[in-house]
Amino acid sequence: MASSAINGRFDAGATGGRWLEEYRTRAPRGDMLSAATDGDRAAWEIAFEELAGLPGNTLATARERAQRHADDIGTAYRAAGESEERRWPLSPVPLLIGADEWRTIADGMAERADLFESVIADIHGRQQLVADGTLPAMLVTGSPLFLRPMVGVVPPGGHQLHFVAADLCRGPDGRWRVLADHVRVPVGAGYALENRLAMGRTLGGLPSRLNVERHAPFFAAMRAGIAAACRRAEPRIGLLTSGKLNPSYPEQAHLARYLGFLLVEGADLAVRDDQLYVRTIAGLKRIDALWRRIDPRLIDPLAFDAGSTIGVPGLIDAMATGNVVIANAPGVGVLESPAFAAFLPVLGERLLGRAPALSSIGTWWCGRAQDRDHVLASLDQLVIGPAFAGPVPELAGPVLGATLDADARARLATAMALRPQDYVGQELAELSTMPTVCGEGLQPRPFSLRVFAARGADGRWVVLPGGFVRIGDQPDARAAVMGEGSWSADVIVHGPDPVAPVSLLQAADSVELRRNPGTLPSRVADNMFWLGRYLERGEALLGVIRVLFGHSISADTGAALAPETVERLVTIIADTGAAPRPPSHRRRDLVDFGREAMESVDGWGSVRAINRMATGIGGVSRDRLSADMVRLLDAPHPTAGTLLDRAGTLQRRYAALAGLSAEHMGRTDAWRFHDLGRRIERAMAATRTLLAVDLRRASAEDLSTLLDLADSQISYRQRYLIGFARVPVIDLIALDPGNPRGIAFQVETIVGHLGKLPVLNDAGIAEPQQRIAARLTAGIAMASAERLDRGWVLEINQQLQKLSDAIATRYFLQGAQALREAGLTLA
C-alpha cells in the first residue's frame, strides 16, 4: 500500500514536472511561474503535482473538477443587463505568492486604506485639503459620487471606511501597482471565499504542504470590526442588498450565511425614533449595523435620491445620531474616481510624509492644463476615459488612444476643451501572466489581482491573504485589453511556517449555547411560505395531469377512464388556470390540453409557470436554502422524452425537494413557514379534488381516482381488503389524522406550527390565524364520513383560504405599511 502511494506520488510529480517544463518554454518575460525564485518554484512544483494526482491525470479533467466544485458550492454571478445567472468560471491553477512578497502587498494595502480614511474624513469634515489647494474643489464637488449631506456627519466609531478593495497588476519587472480602487461598494470577497472552498475540495493536499494562509481570520476580524463600532455589546448586523437582480447577489447570500449577518433589503427595514429596525415575524428587532452592498445614493430617499424605492427613509438620520453603523459610510465613493489617483502621490506626501508604497498606475487628470496637454500629446501610449462615474461626450468608457482615428481625436480634443475636468488619461499597463488551462494544456494569460482589507476590532487594517484573480482570455497582456477577464482563480499565500487551523467557529468551551436560530424577517417568512405553496401546487397539478394521461391517453396503461371521470379531471386542471378547457375529450385534444397545462410559458397556472415562481423565490433565498435545493429549483424544465416521461422527471424533482426540506432543513421558524405553505396548499388541493366528485353518488372509478389524486392508494389497500367503498375512501382523504396526505393530518400539523410561532401580545388571547385553525380542527372533529357533503368541503376550503390570508396579514409585509403599532415588539 505504501509503495503504491509512493509510486502514485512519483508519477504525479513526473507528470506535473513535465507540464511545468513545457509551459516554461513559451511563458513570456515576467510570468509568475517562469520568474519564480527557488522557494516559489518549489511551491509551483507541489501545486502541479497535486493537479497531476487528480483522477483523470489531465489538465482538462482538473478544470472540469474545479468547476464542478464551484457549481456545487453555488457560486454564480449575473452580468449587467442579464436576468439569468451564469456559472462562476474557476481555473484549477491557483496563483501562488510567497509570504515575503505578500507582506509587501498587505502593508501597502493597509497604508493605502489609512490614507483614504484620512482623506475622506477631511472631505466630510474640515475640508482643509481643498482649502489649501492640495485637492481641487471640482475634483470633489464635481464628482457625482460626492454626497453633500454627508458633510459634517461623524459615523459611529469615527470611521468612514470599514472595508476596501483594490485591483492590482504586476508588471514584468515584478512590481505591483494599483489599477483601480473600490471603496463605494467593494465586491468580490465572497468570490474569494468560494474560490478557496472549491479549491480546497479540488486540491486538498495544498494547505498542509504549502502552509497556506487561511481566510477565516480576515472575516472574523471584519465582523469584529463592525461590531466594535456599535453601541450594543452583542449587535445585530445586516447585509443590505438590493435583491436578486444585483449582479453579485449569490456572493452576498454566501457572505451573509458565512458571517452570520441578516440578509436584508430596504423593504425589510424601518426607522423609528432614529433607531433602525428589521421587520420580523416577532415584530420590530433592532439593527445595529449594515454592511451596505447597494449604491449609497439609493439607501435613503429622504437624504439622497428621492425617487429611490429600495432605500430606508430616515437611515442617514439614524446613522448621524450614532444608532447604526453603515459600512462603508455613504459618500466615500468619491475616492475611487479614476481622476483621484492623479493626486495620491501628493496626498501621501502631505498626510503620510511619503508617497504611498503601493502606487497607482500613471494617471493624468485633464482638469489640470499641463495634464491635458500631456494626454493629447501622448494618446497613442494612454488609455482615455471618464474622470468620474458614467459616460462623457465622445467616450462611453475607457478606450485605447491608439485606436482613435484622426476625426475621433479631433472630436475628443473639442469636447475636452469644453469640459476638461471630465476626462482622464492613464498609463497603458502591461500585466504579468500566469499559467491557465486552455483546452488540453497550459497557456500564459494576463491577470489582475483583487485584494481586500477590513478594519478589525482594534481599528487597524487586516488584509485578506490572497483575494482572487481575474484572468484574460487573450494573450494580450495590456490591462485595457484584458477588461473584466474570463476566468477567476484562487490566490494562495504560502510560506515556510505551519499555519494554525483557524476557523470562524469559536472554541467549543467559549461559545454560549443557543438553540434559537435567530431573527426571521417578515419578507423571508413570506418567501418560505410561498415556496412551500408553489412546490405543493405544482406537484398537485402534475399529479392530476399524470392521472389523466396515465389512464385515458396512454396505450400502455390499460382501460381508459370513463368520460365522466375524465371530465372531472379536466375541470380540476382548467379551474386552476393551467390551461383552457379542451374542445373535446378526443385523444389529440386531451394531449394538447395536458401539454399546455404542464408546459405553457404564458400565464401563471401551468406547471412550468408555477416552477418559475418557485425558482424566483429560491433565487432570493440562497442564505436560507441548501445548495442542493437551490440547484433543483434552478434546474431547467425537462424537454426530453414523451410528455409522461417529462412529467415523471418533474415528479422525481418534486419528491427530492420535499425530501430535502423534510430531512435537511433545521426546525426553525423559516422551515415552519415553508411547511405551513405546503400543508395549506395540500389541504386545499384535497378539497378541490373532493369538490370535483359527487360524494353521495361516487362510483368505484371516482373513488379510485380520488385515491390516486390524494396519493393514498397504498394506505387504503393496507387498511381495507374490500374494494373501493365510499365511506372509507372519504374518511381516509378527509378525516383520518393518520394519513399524511389527508386534510385532517394537514390541519393538525398547521395547528402545531402556529402554536410555536411568536405572538405579539402577552394576553394569552388567540390571534386570528389561531382562531381559524381552531375552527378547522373543530370542523374535522365534528364531521363523519357518512354525512360528509359538498357544503362541508366547501366550508373547509374557504376556511383554508382565510387562514392563508390571516397568516399573511399577521406575519408578512403589507405593501407600504411602515410599522405594526398593535402589540409592537422592540428589541
Side-chain angles (χ1 to χ4, degrees):
M1 181 68 72
S3 176
S4 174
I6 292 172
N7 288 337
R9 176 63 61 83
F10 176 79
D11 292 341
T15 301
R18 185 176 70 253
W19 291 343
L20 287 175
E21 290 307 315
E22 291 174 354
Y23 177 79
R24 289 190 180 104
T25 61
R26 54 181 176 276
R29 179 179 67 90
D31 179 85
M32 286 293 293
L33 190 156
S34 63
T37 59
D38 291 342
D40 291 339
R41 188 185 300 265
W44 282 105
E45 291 172 354
I46 291 173
F48 274 90
E49 181 181 293
E50 291 286 330
L51 279 168
L54 294 175
N57 200 33
T58 69
L59 289 166
T61 56
R63 180 179 60 193
E64 293 171 1
R65 188 180 183 89
Q67 187 64 63
R68 184 169 63 252
H69 286 312
D71 294 342
D72 288 343
I73 292 169
T75 314
Y77 74 104
R78 182 180 285 106
E82 295 183 357
S83 59
E84 297 297 324
E85 291 180 356
R86 297 184 181 184
R87 304 168 72 191
W88 179 252
L90 177 62
S91 170
V93 182
L95 176 67
L96 305 185
I97 301 178
D100 291 339
E101 184 175 9
W102 181 256
R103 192 171 299 111
T104 301
I105 296 173
D107 290 346
M109 188 68 186
E111 178 190 68
R112 194 177 185 90
D114 276 331
L115 175 60
F116 281 174
E117 178 69 42
S118 298
V119 174
I120 195 62
D122 180 80
I123 289 174
H124 287 168
R126 297 174 59 240
Q127 299 183 342
Q128 189 62 39
L129 295 173
V130 173
D132 64 16
T134 304
L135 283 178
M138 71 174 69
L139 183 72
V140 176
T141 59
S143 171
L145 301 179
F146 173 67
L147 301 179
R148 190 175 297 277
M150 296 306 299
V151 174
V153 175
V154 179
H159 298 303
Q160 306 265 357
L161 296 171
H162 288 267
F163 194 85
V164 300
D167 290 331
L168 308 186
C169 66
R170 183 182 187 273
D173 59 357
R175 180 186 174 201
W176 293 92
R177 292 186 296 167
V178 177
L179 287 169
D181 294 292
H182 303 280
V183 296
R184 182 172 45 154
V185 188
V187 173
Y191 292 131
L193 175 62
E194 291 171 330
N195 281 355
R196 176 58 55 86
L197 292 173
M199 291 306 298
R201 298 180 184 182
T202 305
L203 303 177
L206 278 188
S208 58
R209 298 187 68 189
L210 290 183
N211 298 321
V212 176
E213 293 195 28
R214 296 171 178 266
H215 286 177
F218 168 82
F219 288 103
M222 177 215 166
R223 187 171 60 186
I226 295 177
C230 299
R231 288 182 171 177
R232 293 199 296 180
E234 295 187 7
R236 184 178 288 116
I237 303 174
L239 191 156
L240 179 60
T241 176
S242 57
K244 68 176 183 178
L245 293 182
N246 187 292
S248 65
Y249 181 80
E251 178 221 13
Q252 296 168 18
H254 189 190
L255 279 172
R257 183 166 51 214
Y258 182 72
L259 291 166
F261 292 176
L262 275 178
L263 187 64
V264 294
E265 299 179 19
D268 297 326
L269 305 174
V271 173
R272 179 186 176 93
D273 297 330
D274 290 334
Q275 298 277 10
L276 180 66
Y277 296 94
V278 58
R279 288 181 264 192
T280 80
I281 61 171
L284 298 180
K285 299 293 183 181
R286 184 172 169 184
I287 289 279
D288 301 274
L290 290 174
W291 185 12
R292 175 180 57 78
R293 296 297 297 269
I294 68 175
D295 189 322
R297 291 169 294 187
L298 303 178
I299 65 171
D300 185 347
L302 299 182
F304 306 127
D305 186 345
S308 172
T309 59
I310 63 173
V312 186
L315 180 59
I316 297 304
D317 287 340
M319 174 187 174
T321 54
N323 292 326
V324 61
V325 176
I326 301 179
N328 288 331
V332 299
V334 69
L335 300 171
E336 67 180 44
S337 300
F340 201 84
F343 294 85
L344 285 179
V346 66
L347 287 170
E349 293 288 351
R350 167 74 187 278
L351 299 173
L352 302 174
R354 62 187 181 282
L358 196 58
S359 63
S360 301
I361 58 173
T363 304
W364 295 267
W365 179 52
C366 296
R368 295 187 292 192
Q370 67 272 26
D371 284 10
R372 181 170 68 255
D373 293 341
H374 173 78
V375 168
L376 290 173
S378 310
L379 282 178
D380 289 342
Q381 291 79 44
L382 299 177
V383 177
I384 314 301
F388 306 109
V392 293
E394 303 303 326
L395 290 178
V399 298
L400 291 170
T403 64
L404 300 176
D405 59 24
D407 289 341
R409 293 178 185 226
R411 292 194 302 270
L412 177 62
T414 300
M416 198 178 291
L418 294 174
R419 288 186 59 86
Q421 68 270 24
D422 291 341
Y423 299 85
V424 70
Q426 290 187 303
E427 174 188 357
L428 184 55
E430 185 177 359
L431 307 181
S432 287
T433 57
M434 65 174 287
T436 306
V437 178
C438 299
E440 296 291 332
L442 291 171
Q443 295 294 335
R445 290 291 183 265
F447 70 92
S448 64
L449 168 62
R450 182 162 293 186
V451 182
F452 304 91
R455 194 181 297 281
D458 59 359
R460 300 197 301 181
W461 292 99
V462 179
V463 178
L464 177 69
F468 76 90
V469 298
R470 295 181 298 179
I471 304 170
D473 58 357
Q474 300 296 328
D476 196 321
R478 294 175 295 178
V481 175
M482 194 196 83
E484 290 298 307
S486 296
W487 291 89
S488 74
D490 188 20
V491 183
I492 286 178
V493 178
H494 62 92
D497 301 322
V499 177
V502 180
S503 169
L504 267 187
L505 299 176
Q506 301 177 41
D509 57 358
S510 68
V511 178
E512 181 181 353
L513 292 178
R514 177 180 297 173
R515 291 178 180 172
N516 177 2
T519 303
L520 182 65
S522 293
R523 175 183 55 84
V524 176
D526 193 348
N527 285 337
M528 299 305 293
F529 179 80
W530 278 101
L531 178 61
R533 288 201 63 173
Y534 285 139
L535 290 176
E536 198 66 33
R537 183 177 300 177
E539 185 175 5
L541 175 57
L542 187 66
V544 182
I545 295 171
R546 294 186 75 194
V547 171
L548 174 64
F549 274 45
H551 287 84
S552 63
I553 60 174
S554 173
D556 301 323
T557 55
L561 292 172
E564 296 81 6
T565 304
V566 171
E567 172 60 22
R568 293 185 182 106
L569 294 172
V570 167
T571 298
I572 293 174
I573 295 171
D575 286 351
T576 65
R581 297 183 65 88
S584 74
H585 290 176
R586 291 181 300 179
R587 179 187 180 90
R588 182 183 300 276
D589 291 336
L590 285 177
V591 169
D592 291 343
F593 172 70
R595 180 179 294 110
E596 184 165 0
M598 197 167 84
E599 301 187 338
S600 174
V601 296
D602 300 322
W604 52 269
S606 70
V607 175
R608 183 194 288 265
I610 293 169
N611 287 349
R612 185 170 62 242
M613 290 184 282
T615 299
I617 294 176
V620 299
S621 305
R622 290 175 178 271
D623 58 322
R624 300 280 174 171
L625 302 176
S626 69
D628 287 335
M629 199 162 183
V630 171
R631 193 175 303 110
L632 281 171
L633 290 169
D634 286 343
H637 197 82
T639 57
T642 66
L643 201 58
L644 279 176
D645 291 335
R646 298 197 289 277
T649 298
L650 286 172
Q651 186 66 40
R652 289 186 291 274
R653 191 179 299 171
Y654 283 126
L657 286 165
L660 286 171
S661 63
E663 299 299 331
H664 293 271
M665 290 182 70
R667 279 3 187 201
T668 62
D669 286 341
W671 170 78
R672 294 191 191 286
F673 278 99
H674 178 70
D675 202 56
L676 268 174
R678 281 189 174 276
R679 301 301 172 182
I680 289 176
E681 191 67 38
R682 185 177 295 179
M684 292 179 72
T687 61
R688 287 192 296 268
T689 299
L690 292 172
L691 287 171
V693 175
D694 185 344
L695 297 180
R696 295 300 177 89
R697 301 179 180 82
S699 66
E701 188 170 80
D702 288 336
L703 297 174
S704 178
T705 302
L706 284 177
L707 291 172
D708 283 335
L709 294 176
D711 197 16
S712 298
Q713 283 278 11
I714 295 177
S715 296
Y716 183 86
R717 294 178 187 277
Q718 286 177 337
R719 300 183 189 190
Y720 303 102
L721 298 178
I722 60 173
F724 300 116
R726 184 181 69 87
V727 172
V729 168
I730 293 174
D731 181 76
L732 181 64
I733 295 175
L735 305 178
D736 189 340
N739 178 17
R741 308 296 298 188
I743 296 174
F745 184 92
Q746 314 315 316
V747 171
E748 186 177 283
T749 306
I750 289 167
V751 171
H753 286 326
L754 292 177
K756 293 183 178 179
L757 290 176
V759 294
L760 286 180
N761 63 71
D762 300 323
I765 300 174
E767 294 186 339
Q769 72 278 1
Q770 294 170 321
R771 291 196 293 270
I772 296 172
R775 194 175 302 126
L776 280 165
T777 301
I780 291 173
M782 297 290 291
S784 66
E786 294 87 348
R787 294 191 296 273
L788 213 64
D789 59 11
R790 180 179 179 83
W792 182 91
V793 178
L794 190 59
E795 173 65 19
I796 294 295
N797 180 274
Q798 292 172 349
Q799 290 299 321
L800 287 167
Q801 294 184 49
K802 290 180 181 178
L803 177 61
S804 179
D805 293 341
I807 289 172
T809 301
R810 163 60 183 84
Y811 291 109
F812 306 155
L813 300 181
Q814 301 298 315
Q817 176 187 356
L819 300 169
R820 295 194 186 94
E821 296 292 344
L824 186 68
T825 302
L826 299 177

